[in-house]
Amino acid sequence: MGEVYRATDSRLNRDVALKIVPAALASDEQRMARFEREAQLLAALNHPHIATIHGLEEAGTTRALVMELVPGPTLAERIAQGPIPLEEALNIAKQIAEALEYARERGIIHRDLKPANVKLTPEGQVKLLDFGLAKAMEDSPAMQDISNSPTLSAVATKAGIILGTAAYMSPEQAKGKPVDRRADIWSFGVVLYEMLTGKTLYTGETAPETMAHVITKQPEWNALPAMTPPRIRRLLERCLTKDPKRRLRDIGEARIAIEDYLANPGAEAAASAVSGVAVAPAAAEPAWRLAMTWAVAALCALLAALGFWRPWAGGTRSGAGLPVRLNSDIGAEGKLYTDYGASEVFSPDGTRIVYVVTEPNGVRRLYLRALDQLQATALPGTDTARDPFFSPDGEWIGFFAGGLLKKISVHAGGAITICEASTSRGGAWGEDGTIVFEGLAVGGLLRVSSAGGKAEELTKLNPGSGTHRWPQVLPGGKAVLFTAATQVNTFEDASLEILDLATGARKTVYRGGFYGRYVKTGH
């Protein structure tokens, strides 16, 4: 449709984007008519999530749209980094839906929604670009000639060439049939799917091949993260139904569904807990992974048998709390990794468990399971991981791998490096956003921001060799419990100590023990 340049509006002293039709195409009356229509359509739209048009300028045979210059990467660039965590993806999708809903109310459909036409500003705002292929529904019937369907932009990938726009066409659009608002709903579903999986839904080496896949192939639902909530899965299924008569009727329904989930993400889990029915993902998994993650009693390897009770209540033993036991299957061929630190850890709210498994192929990685579901999922980017720990809000998991301290969202996505850590002997995430960890085989505790940066020394060793290991930030974030020892192999002289983070003072609370954990009863 044109070439886009960054420019300066010298009259108003502001940066703008100029969208110019190449001179070689300026004589194409049909293309020029579409270009002018873009200006008219954009001028009618005034919404925080739609790029604004400032004017239409002409100079001889050159015509240019003067548009808002939107900073930040495109959604396509963000997806190229890997799957987007659930909450972030849904917030992006909600803003896209708001923009499409606003345009729809004014009789306009986009017809070319794709990640490359969505910008993410530094402030976290979504801006929808390029309504140049939109169609005012009161206009003449849709073009039947598929050669006039939306621009096919080639994007180089490792697998070959993916035709960007063709991959986001609705089936009826790929067939050259008339389209309405449901075409945007299909494209919206494709974009949300790609945000969650990090993968293009339909690809091909040529436009016809890509369109054929759009028309004939069903989505690979098992590519969605296993932790994808059933409500969001159902929304995707309704958006990506090939028959437009059975598709979601209005994009506003998608917006409402996302808003409802974001307002109360635990509603479905709570309902399943009340009914006693576990909500499991609809997607199928490979047989070997199912064997590793499903709780099949006859084949289970017992990971944990945990009893929760209140030892004292008013000086007498309380019978109100009955023991609760949990079995979590790692499969007959899987092996729980127990060489260093914690093998499995519960989230602070007790709704999730993360554990370290060596898979049949020898790869060691983290598995995460929501306790209201039977299926666990391997977290991508956690190869060689060990010693996991949760953030206070339970949304992140810190871990050590490859000489680095890393973190990963519980909603999947890629692992993020925080800092170097030549070895791992435990970490703890404080309420102030800092992480305390032992990053040297023989050394004191270190502290670093969970956002990343250079680690600083927190404790010094006593004279002679030794180690400070397995820290736990205590409630309130004012002190750290840790193990101090000089005999790092036997821990015969180990003690449990508490460090006051404000004063740096240390106090020994128990001699002869190691790997101490504080519990809410004050013990």
Side-chain angles (χ1 to χ4, degrees):
M1 285 299 299
E3 298 173 342
V4 183
Y5 295 85
R6 184 188 185 111
T8 299
D9 181 343
S10 57
R11 293 178 182 175
L12 299 178
N13 193 26
R14 62 182 175 184
D15 288 337
V16 295
L18 287 182
K19 187 171 187 180
I20 300 174
V21 173
L25 302 175
S27 58
D28 186 331
E29 294 183 2
Q30 183 182 19
R31 185 175 291 267
M32 290 308 301
R34 293 165 63 196
F35 189 77
E36 290 186 6
R37 186 180 66 185
E38 176 174 7
Q40 296 169 357
L41 290 172
L42 283 173
L45 302 178
N46 181 19
H47 190 272
H49 300 314
I50 297 177
T52 304
I53 179 172
H54 299 312
L56 176 62
E57 300 289 340
E58 297 185 31
T61 59
T62 301
R63 297 187 184 184
L65 285 173
V66 184
M67 302 175 67
E68 173 186 5
L69 181 66
V70 183
T74 66
L75 182 56
E77 292 168 332
R78 174 64 181 85
I79 293 174
Q81 299 174 9
I84 299 176
L86 177 66
E87 184 174 351
E88 180 184 351
L90 292 181
N91 275 304
I92 293 172
K94 181 174 77 73
Q95 294 179 63
I96 294 174
E98 289 172 353
L100 294 175
E101 184 179 14
Y102 171 87
R104 165 67 186 92
E105 290 171 351
R106 283 146 186 82
I108 299 170
I109 58 176
H110 193 290
R111 291 188 77 237
D112 195 22
L113 177 63
K114 57 187 176 184
N117 276 342
V118 179
K119 293 279 290 238
L120 307 176
T121 72
E123 295 76 26
Q125 291 289 310
V126 166
K127 286 282 189 177
L128 194 55
L129 310 179
D130 200 356
F131 273 84
L133 301 167
K135 171 183 174 288
M137 284 178 287
E138 292 78 17
D139 284 355
S140 56
M143 294 175 295
Q144 298 295 318
D145 182 1
I146 200 167
S147 66
N148 286 326
S149 60
T151 311
L152 301 178
S153 56
V155 180
T157 69
K158 293 180 180 178
I161 298 298
I162 295 175
L163 294 169
T165 303
Y168 303 94
M169 289 182 184
S170 64
E172 61 271 23
Q173 193 174 0
K175 294 176 182 178
K177 293 184 177 181
V179 298
D180 57 21
R181 64 185 182 278
R182 291 170 293 183
D184 278 355
I185 292 173
W186 169 277
S187 301
F188 172 84
V190 176
V191 171
L192 178 55
Y193 177 96
E194 292 189 9
M195 284 196 283
L196 295 175
T197 64
K199 296 166 41 176
T200 305
L201 179 55
Y202 294 114
T203 65
E205 294 184 357
T206 65
E209 183 180 347
T210 301
M211 295 181 202
H213 291 169
V214 170
I215 295 169
T216 61
K217 281 192 173 184
Q218 293 299 321
E220 294 182 8
W221 297 115
N222 61 354
L224 288 169
M227 303 297 290
T228 304
R231 278 186 283 174
I232 303 305
R233 287 178 179 270
R234 288 193 292 270
L235 173 61
L236 282 168
E237 290 169 359
R238 292 208 58 197
C239 290
L240 295 176
T241 298
K242 294 187 185 294
D243 183 354
K245 295 180 180 179
R246 300 183 61 84
R247 199 174 300 154
L248 200 68
R249 302 299 297 175
D250 193 275
I251 194 64
E253 297 178 48
R255 174 187 56 78
I256 292 171
I258 292 172
E259 287 178 344
D260 287 348
Y261 176 80
L262 291 174
N264 189 9
E268 202 153 24
S272 67
V274 170
S275 66
V277 178
V279 180
E285 289 284 342
W288 72 267
R289 185 161 289 177
L290 285 173
M292 293 185 64
T293 56
W294 282 91
V296 182
L299 300 177
C300 273
L302 183 61
L303 177 61
L306 305 175
F308 296 96
W309 67 93
R310 293 177 60 192
W312 298 279
T316 61
R317 183 72 176 266
S318 171
L322 297 176
V324 177
R325 292 180 173 86
L326 167 71
N327 291 344
S328 188
D329 179 38
I330 60 172
E333 298 181 2
K335 178 183 177 183
L336 189 66
Y337 183 78
T338 59
D339 288 0
Y340 294 100
S343 298
E344 72 285 335
V345 181
F346 281 90
S347 61
D349 62 2
T351 62
R352 295 184 175 96
I353 184 172
V354 61
Y355 47 95
V356 188
V357 170
T358 301
E359 297 176 349
N361 58 6
V363 175
R364 184 178 73 246
R365 58 168 54 98
L366 299 181
Y367 273 68
L368 180 67
R369 175 186 158 194
L371 297 187
D372 64 339
Q373 299 181 4
L374 296 178
Q375 188 176 9
T377 182
L379 295 179
T382 62
D383 292 10
T384 74
R386 62 189 187 196
D387 246 359
F389 55 94
F390 277 93
S391 61
D393 61 5
E395 291 295 303
W396 292 88
I397 300 169
F399 64 96
F400 299 86
L404 300 170
L405 171 61
K406 298 183 175 183
K407 66 178 180 180
I408 188 170
S409 169
V410 297
H411 304 297
I416 300 171
T417 296
I418 296 174
C419 68
E420 294 183 357
S422 60
T423 188
S424 61
R425 298 296 186 272
W429 200 311
E431 297 172 10
D432 63 351
T434 61
I435 294 176
V436 177
F437 67 103
E438 199 277 346
L440 301 171
V442 178
L445 297 177
L446 304 174
R447 176 167 57 185
V448 67
S449 168
S450 59
K454 183 176 178 57
E456 61 179 23
E457 186 179 60
L458 191 59
T459 64
K460 290 184 178 294
L461 294 174
N462 294 326
S465 62
T467 185
H468 293 164
R469 295 184 177 181
W470 303 308
Q472 180 187 14
V473 179
L474 299 184
K478 297 180 180 180
V480 176
L481 173 68
F482 66 98
T483 299
T486 56
Q487 302 296 324
V488 296
N489 294 321
T490 63
F491 289 92
E492 291 180 354
D493 65 342
S495 62
L496 304 182
E497 298 193 9
I498 288 182
L499 169 71
D500 187 316
L501 292 174
T503 66
R506 286 164 51 181
K507 176 184 178 181
T508 300
V509 295
Y510 188 83
R511 296 188 184 277
F514 58 93
Y515 204 89
R517 300 290 95 179
Y518 175 85
V519 293
K520 292 182 179 180
T521 57
H523 297 79

